[in-house]
Amino acid sequence: MDVDVAVIGAGISGLSTAVDLARRGHGVIAIERHARPGGKAQSERIDGFLMEHGPSSVVAAGATPLLPQYFTAEHDRVDLEPGVRRRYLMADGRLHGIAVHPLAFLTSNFLSTRGRLRLLAEAIVPSRGAGTEETVAAFCRRRFGHEFADRVIDPLVGGMFAGTAESLSVAATFPRLVELESNYGSILRGVFIGRVSGKRMPARRLFSWRDGIGTLPTALAAQLGSRLKVGVTVRRIAAHPHGFVLTTAGAGSTRARAVVIATQPHVAAELLANVDATAAKAAAQIAAPPIAVVFLGYERAQIAHPLDGIGYLASTGEHRRVNGSLFCSTMFRYRAPDGFVSLAAYIGGDRAPELARLAPDELIDIARHEFAMLLGARGEPVLARVRHWPRGLPQYRVGHRELVAALNGISERQPGLFLTGNYLDGVSVAACIAHGRKTADAVDAQLGGPSTFGSFHQDHTAGRLKDTGS
């Protein structure tokens, strides 16, 4: 079978890329080794509860401009509920509620007076200038002081990346902070100047859909139709005079003018081994420690806590077995039946990968104990489910930018070969959609315009690739 573009992997990144290219008139096929597309973006209805196995929300500022071309079911969209009034952080073994307005950390007693004064002093801290790459912890301690870095930034990093501020690169994870220091000498000064000049920081308003994040890959997959093949594993990519040949497990081969690898980094490393050793070596160095999601449903009367926030986060220094939790039914409607609430605990990641490998019963016990202590949860949950992810979120450790540079250079070394995924330019759903669009732009430019095969040809030839187990 001949196609313009073969996309390997049908998570959010791969689906976004494939749909974008198909809409531009290219003959596309997307190949997914699992029986279900979407990657970690999986949502499940269980007895009136909605469990998110992976991401639970989308940042509106990043995704909204890109969604209309893919997704039209706006009537299913649900925005963050007004019941979200606080953010909760753990300190000294208990939860502290902080209002969500921008100046809350200055008016709250969560930080000491000295810590708040040090935070304000960021505006006069000298800029370090270019030099050795810093970790998130080193950068934030230098600019904001130890207390804010350890009590606020560290738990934030745990929630966003399931990682530690001591190991992640600030330039890779929070490039905007580095840019503000470079341009203005201070993050606070840069934000203030931006506001005065009308360049407000983008609002990080969250949204989802009635049936969860899984709605998005389902809609994208429906647009691809027969061009999406699930249960098919690509075993090998080989260069060909007019592109590449993909060999699959029991489903024949496919010739493509261009190939987009949209898999996890360890899979990309295997596929690239005989095509581009430089990229294969770089991809293999990106760790994605295991993580477990524990989803519990309770009657509302069983929980003493007001649950008036998105959830809570714990810093590394608290030495908790749960990195953080989401108050799912507070965040969005349709997450629990009337009179019930749903909570999700996140265990493992780079902080404690061994915990993520525990048996479901053990993980449920850990979550129940934490919720009993911190939220006043009483009795047995009415629902308990666990999702193990043997490979979780990619870790943007110090040196990550160099790895990404080696990966991005693949299209120059091997014209027609492209990479996309959450290990390149952000782990969020919005970042994956944006990178999928960027990748589609690059592929379109490489191919030089619309398909040589045409959509009619693609719809018919795609059927020749059988769906087989891998």
Side-chain angles (χ1 to χ4, degrees):
M1 179 179 69
D2 294 344
V3 295
D4 285 325
V5 189
V7 178
I8 306 172
I12 295 295
S13 299
L15 289 170
S16 298
T17 304
V19 169
D20 200 323
L21 287 168
R23 283 176 168 263
R24 299 181 195 214
H26 295 290
V28 177
I29 187 167
I31 305 172
E32 169 58 50
R33 66 190 179 101
H34 292 110
R36 185 175 177 182
K40 290 183 175 64
Q42 306 289 342
S43 307
E44 181 183 8
R45 282 276 174 206
I46 313 167
D47 299 331
F49 290 89
L50 180 72
M51 177 181 178
E52 296 284 19
H53 292 248
S56 59
S57 60
V58 183
V59 179
T64 300
L66 302 174
L67 283 175
Q69 63 170 320
Y70 301 132
F71 193 73
T72 57
E74 279 297 303
H75 62 279
D76 285 333
R77 173 170 163 163
V78 289
D79 291 307
L80 205 63
E81 287 288 287
V84 176
R85 294 187 291 272
R86 296 175 182 271
R87 67 194 87 186
Y88 283 94
L89 295 170
M90 180 187 289
D92 304 318
R94 65 186 183 88
L95 296 185
H96 297 257
I98 303 153
V100 296
H101 64 77
L103 298 178
F105 284 109
L106 295 176
T107 58
S108 165
N109 62 2
F110 179 70
L111 299 176
S112 67
T113 300
R114 181 175 181 177
R116 283 176 273 173
L117 290 173
R118 176 61 182 83
L119 175 59
L120 285 173
E122 191 276 337
I124 59 173
V125 171
S127 174
R128 194 190 66 157
T132 306
E133 185 177 10
E134 290 181 285
T135 64
V136 174
F139 178 91
C140 290
R141 286 170 186 157
R142 178 171 61 81
R143 295 238 48 97
F144 302 111
H146 283 259
E147 190 174 348
F148 185 78
D150 296 346
R151 295 188 116 194
V152 178
I153 299 299
D154 179 74
L156 177 65
V157 168
M160 292 178 66
F161 297 93
T164 67
E166 298 288 355
S167 63
L168 296 187
S169 160
V170 69
T173 54
F174 300 114
R176 178 62 174 155
L177 296 183
V178 177
E179 180 185 346
L180 286 171
E181 182 187 35
S182 175
N183 292 342
Y184 301 99
S186 158
I187 286 84
L188 294 180
R189 190 183 306 128
V191 171
F192 177 76
I193 292 173
R195 286 183 178 274
V196 169
S197 63
K199 298 177 181 179
R200 292 182 175 271
M201 297 287 283
R204 296 187 61 82
R205 194 67 180 170
L206 304 179
F207 74 93
S208 182
W209 291 277
R210 182 188 181 105
D211 290 319
I213 296 298
T215 302
L216 178 58
T218 298
L220 296 176
Q223 292 193 35
L224 286 175
S226 64
R227 291 169 289 196
L228 170 63
K229 297 300 170 184
V230 297
V232 177
T233 299
V234 176
R235 294 298 189 197
R236 189 171 186 270
I237 302 173
H240 180 273
H242 302 292
F244 301 88
V245 176
L246 277 58
T247 303
T248 67
S253 61
T254 298
R255 290 187 303 173
R257 295 171 62 204
V259 173
V260 178
I261 300 177
T263 66
Q264 296 182 78
H266 74 286
V267 177
E270 295 171 3
L271 292 172
L272 291 167
N274 70 310
V275 183
D276 191 288
T278 299
K281 181 180 179 181
Q285 294 180 64
I286 300 175
I291 194 164
V293 182
V294 182
F295 182 82
L296 301 181
Y298 290 91
E299 292 185 22
R300 182 63 185 91
Q302 290 180 268
I303 308 294
H305 194 277
L307 301 179
D308 55 347
I310 288 177
Y312 69 82
L313 296 171
S315 68
T316 308
E318 290 293 312
H319 304 292
R320 307 305 305 182
R321 293 182 294 175
V322 174
N323 296 338
S325 170
L326 290 180
F327 304 158
C328 310
S329 52
T330 300
M331 291 175 65
F332 301 114
R333 297 180 62 191
Y334 312 115
R335 271 40 182 177
D338 290 343
F340 294 82
V341 296
S342 58
L343 310 169
Y346 298 85
I347 299 172
D350 206 27
R351 290 185 174 186
E354 69 285 352
L355 291 181
R357 302 185 182 99
L358 294 175
D361 287 348
E362 295 177 277
L363 290 165
I364 290 169
D365 284 344
I366 289 174
R368 286 186 57 202
H369 180 269
E370 291 284 310
F371 291 161
M373 184 188 75
L374 297 175
L375 305 178
R378 300 184 300 273
E380 297 277 346
V382 299
L383 178 70
R385 293 287 191 277
V386 173
R387 179 61 183 256
H388 287 97
W389 291 108
R391 293 181 187 269
L393 292 172
Q395 299 298 295
Y396 289 19
R397 294 171 179 164
V398 170
H400 188 76
R401 291 182 304 169
E402 287 72 24
L403 297 178
V404 171
L407 292 165
N408 287 338
I410 193 171
S411 298
E412 295 181 4
R413 297 187 300 271
Q414 306 292 337
L417 193 55
F418 302 85
L419 298 172
T420 188
N422 67 354
Y423 59 96
L424 295 168
D425 196 28
V427 301
S428 69
V429 172
C432 290
I433 295 171
H435 201 273
R437 163 74 77 84
K438 181 180 178 181
T439 305
D441 288 341
V443 175
D444 184 61
Q446 172 75 34
L447 295 181
S451 172
T452 57
F453 298 107
S455 58
F456 179 84
H457 176 88
Q458 171 66 17
D459 287 338
H460 285 70
T461 57
R464 297 178 192 169
L465 184 61
K466 299 180 295 181
D467 291 345
T468 61
S470 57

